[in-house]
Amino acid sequence: MIDIKLLRTDLQRVAAELKRKNFNLDSALFLALDQQRKDRQILTELLQAQKNKYAKEIGKLIQTARAEGTNIEEHTAKGEVLKKKLTASENSMVQIQNEMQEMLEDIPNIPHQTVPVGSNEADNLEISRYGEIPKLSFDPADHSDLGVKLSGIDFERAAKITGARFTYLSGTIAKLHRALSNFMLDVHTSEHNYKEVYVPFIVNRESLFGTGQLPKFEEDLFKLEDSREFYLIPTAEVPVTNIFRGEIIQELPIKLVSHTPCFRSEAGSHGKDTKGMIRQHQFDKVELVQFVEPQHSWSALEELTHHARSILQRLELPHRCIALCGGDLGFASAKTYDLEVWIPSQSKYREISSCSNFTDFQARRMKTRYRNLRTGNLDLVHTVNGSGLAVGRTLVAILENYQSKDGSITIPEVLRPLMNGLEKIK
RNA sequence: GGUGGGAUGGCAGAGCGGUUGAAUGCACCGGUCUUGAAAACCGGCAUAGGUUAGUAGCCUAUCUAGGGUUCGAAUCCCUAUCCCACCGCCA
């Protein structure tokens, strides 16, 4: 949620900045609603003040009336009339406040000045590249063919067990998958100073509201058949960020890392990436989350992106970093870097991590604050997060980039200690 | 699943129909004292919204959340959520 004060003081500027995100702010509607809100609030508070004053006065009158045994009805009757007027006024105020709240909840975060201008994916800006694209003497096989041949990936069985867009891994490939998440966790905890957390994979509505998935993006989520409105997490960002919902953090920064499965309905992506394990309903991800003071969130984004990249570097996977343009930016993000890894079978870079600064957008929805020692105020924290990395796609990248002509896979050096020294999967 | 007990400011913890936005302690901030520090003492210290030129004053809301009773609710009643204890069941 953006700050409503910003809309009140600088409506035209905010509207212009949101345009860069392809969002049309209905300024006229906002002004009209806010004026109505103001009128109704002033009236309501006036009536409340009257009621409070009257209740105080009448208390004494009633007490003396009772002591003297006289009638108290003339006193209470006036209170009743006041109360009726007040209730009506309160209702109309609450109604308009709810309308404004709904409007506010649907407004995306304001993009940072450094976000490239553009309306879609094509306008994203490449920031840097790393690694040589491997020149193979043969046509690279795709990861699903490789995995199936090695008897380590079986999509048919996954489809039998559940359905499309699920994966069944076995043997060395399953172990490699586990080694990857362990490797990532180890690097981030022991070298980048993140604290490992294990969190629920089912969350409630409030948590999804806090990070911005709800109410706007319900169709992307798997919802449980349960009166408590539970959902499977689409990313660890949701449970991890919400650890501090409604809390006042004593000491910043806080850096957390968590390995979780992620569940996405992939509604609206029919026909996209139907082969292989690029786009699944369930995948593992190691997520980095930072809670920082506002003045540090931009450097935190650079740092966190660097932490995610270091995994790709250690695995020696060719990749690039791009800055998403305004039109491609997520709802809650003020700026996002995507890390894309080279996928030989597609001759393309594909997203493997997304690192964003949400500024105070999520913190405002979550009411996560800290004590600003300079001003003495309670201020909203900033949240920054990113994948470090998507485990399933990392497995894909390794299978494809480390393949040999005979279909065997060389295991990256850094993973061998986690694979009992194994060098090659045949 | 059953039965009890809870949820109050940054934290701990009083209050249990009107004078309580809320005692007290801790923490924090300012001051006195001191060569300096500690201790002691004095003072300050909730959040959000409205009004306003105003971080001044005034007004409103907020004691887990939502309903209700009452002229008046932190305080009484109902519901939900979470926590704690004991019993039953169980990875």
Side-chain angles (χ1 to χ4, degrees):
Chain A
M1 225 155 41
I2 64 170
D3 190 352
I4 194 166
K5 281 185 218 152
L6 226 48
L7 292 174
R8 290 192 180 130
T9 55
D10 219 352
L11 186 61
Q12 290 322 308
R13 189 181 64 85
V14 173
E17 287 184 336
L18 289 173
K19 266 240 155 59
R20 300 205 292 134
K21 217 167 174 174
N22 287 348
F23 183 86
N24 281 316
L25 181 67
D26 191 339
S27 306
L29 177 64
F30 175 81
L31 287 172
L33 284 175
D34 200 36
Q35 188 55 51
Q36 279 188 67
R37 185 222 97 237
K38 206 181 219 179
D39 295 344
R40 294 182 195 187
Q41 184 169 345
I42 289 169
L43 177 63
T44 301
E45 292 188 355
L46 187 79
L47 290 169
Q48 282 170 332
Q50 279 178 21
K51 186 200 82 171
N52 288 344
K53 197 168 159 226
Y54 186 70
K56 249 176 211 168
E57 286 169 1
I58 217 61
K60 284 172 198 138
L61 291 177
I62 288 173
Q63 276 165 2
T64 46
R66 280 199 181 123
E68 291 165 5
T70 52
N71 209 330
I72 60 167
E73 264 163 39
E74 61 170 303
H75 301 307
T76 57
K78 194 177 160 195
E80 294 282 7
V81 173
L82 256 175
K83 200 161 88 171
K84 256 192 197 138
K85 271 167 81 176
L86 175 60
T87 306
S89 180
E90 272 174 344
N91 288 343
S92 90
M93 177 183 74
V94 166
Q95 189 207 325
I96 200 93
Q97 279 176 342
N98 289 343
E99 270 179 61
M100 290 200 76
Q101 184 63 22
E102 276 171 36
M103 183 180 183
L104 205 62
E105 283 171 8
D106 278 357
I107 299 174
N109 200 0
I110 297 166
H112 192 243
Q113 294 90 314
T114 58
V115 168
V117 176
S119 55
N120 59 55
E121 224 177 297
D123 299 318
N124 292 341
L125 185 72
E126 184 174 301
I127 303 289
S128 62
R129 283 191 186 214
Y130 169 92
E132 295 283 312
I133 292 169
K135 292 200 175 78
L136 302 173
S137 58
F138 54 94
D139 264 358
D142 87 11
H143 65 279
S144 53
D145 293 340
L146 288 162
V148 168
K149 256 189 208 148
L150 291 164
S151 309
I153 305 183
D154 189 334
F155 292 107
E156 281 163 28
R157 283 211 173 104
K160 175 176 72 179
I161 298 166
T162 309
R165 292 204 191 281
F166 284 88
T167 307
Y168 166 74
L169 300 177
S170 63
T172 334
I173 303 281
K175 190 184 176 84
L176 182 60
H177 183 254
R178 174 162 59 87
L180 277 171
S181 45
N182 282 344
F183 171 68
M184 294 175 196
L185 282 170
D186 288 346
V187 169
H188 295 311
T189 53
S190 58
E191 295 189 39
H192 300 149
N193 213 19
Y194 288 77
K195 179 169 149 189
E196 181 169 350
V197 292
Y198 172 83
V199 293
F201 304 156
I202 293 173
V203 292
N204 59 31
R205 217 163 205 289
E206 289 72 30
S207 292
L208 287 156
F209 176 82
T211 32
Q213 283 79 12
L214 287 181
K216 247 188 163 176
F217 307 99
E218 174 127 29
E219 70 278 6
D220 297 336
L221 303 167
F222 281 112
K223 186 175 188 183
L224 266 55
E225 201 64 57
D226 187 292
S227 62
R228 289 171 292 189
E229 299 220 71
F230 283 166
Y231 297 79
L232 297 180
I233 57 169
T235 158
E237 166 188 347
V238 180
V240 175
T241 310
N242 276 279
I243 289 171
F244 296 107
R245 171 152 50 84
E247 294 195 27
I248 288 148
I249 297 178
Q250 295 304 324
E251 209 174 330
L252 294 170
I254 292 174
K255 296 162 69 175
L256 304 175
V257 59
S258 194
H259 167 222
T260 72
C262 302
F263 303 92
R264 297 188 182 176
S265 74
E266 294 299 339
S269 58
H270 302 294
K272 259 192 209 167
D273 301 311
T274 47
K275 190 184 177 192
M277 53 186 296
I278 292 267
R279 190 175 301 275
Q280 300 281 280
H281 287 310
Q282 173 187 324
F283 61 95
D284 276 28
K285 188 154 61 72
V286 169
E287 185 77 2
L288 303 171
V289 178
Q290 292 197 22
F291 301 83
V292 300
E293 289 185 51
Q295 68 270 26
H296 295 138
S297 65
W298 293 106
S299 60
L301 174 64
E302 299 298 324
E303 182 199 83
L304 184 143
T305 307
H306 195 76
H307 292 153
R309 284 191 69 181
S310 93
I311 300 294
L312 287 163
Q313 286 173 10
R314 287 160 204 249
L315 293 170
E316 300 184 70
L317 290 168
H319 63 273
R320 61 174 191 165
C321 176
I322 61 171
L324 297 193
C325 71
D328 207 21
L329 217 53
F331 176 68
S333 173
K335 184 173 185 177
T336 298
Y337 292 120
D338 271 7
L339 299 180
E340 298 184 333
V341 70
W342 181 253
I343 301 294
S345 67
Q346 300 185 4
S347 292
K348 258 197 243 173
Y349 285 101
R350 296 298 307 261
E351 178 186 339
I352 197 165
S353 170
S354 194
C355 304
S356 305
N357 182 2
F358 301 97
T359 59
D360 61 9
F361 190 86
Q362 294 181 325
R364 184 169 293 105
R365 293 167 87 96
M366 293 192 303
K367 296 187 172 64
T368 300
R369 297 172 297 174
Y370 76 105
R371 179 71 65 183
N372 184 331
L373 292 176
R374 277 190 53 209
T375 62
N377 296 332
L378 287 176
D379 290 342
L380 295 167
V381 303
H382 279 198
T383 53
V384 178
N385 75 42
S387 356
L389 309 161
V391 180
R393 287 189 181 179
T394 309
L395 180 70
V396 168
I398 286 174
L399 293 177
E400 296 207 7
N401 283 283
Y402 281 87
Q403 64 178 301
S404 302
K405 197 174 181 181
D406 62 2
S408 66
I409 313 292
T410 305
I411 294 176
E413 205 98 30
V414 290
L415 293 177
R416 289 178 195 171
L418 294 155
M419 295 290 290
N420 299 340
L422 191 68
E423 287 174 20
K424 206 166 236 216
I425 303 175
K426 308 187 236 208

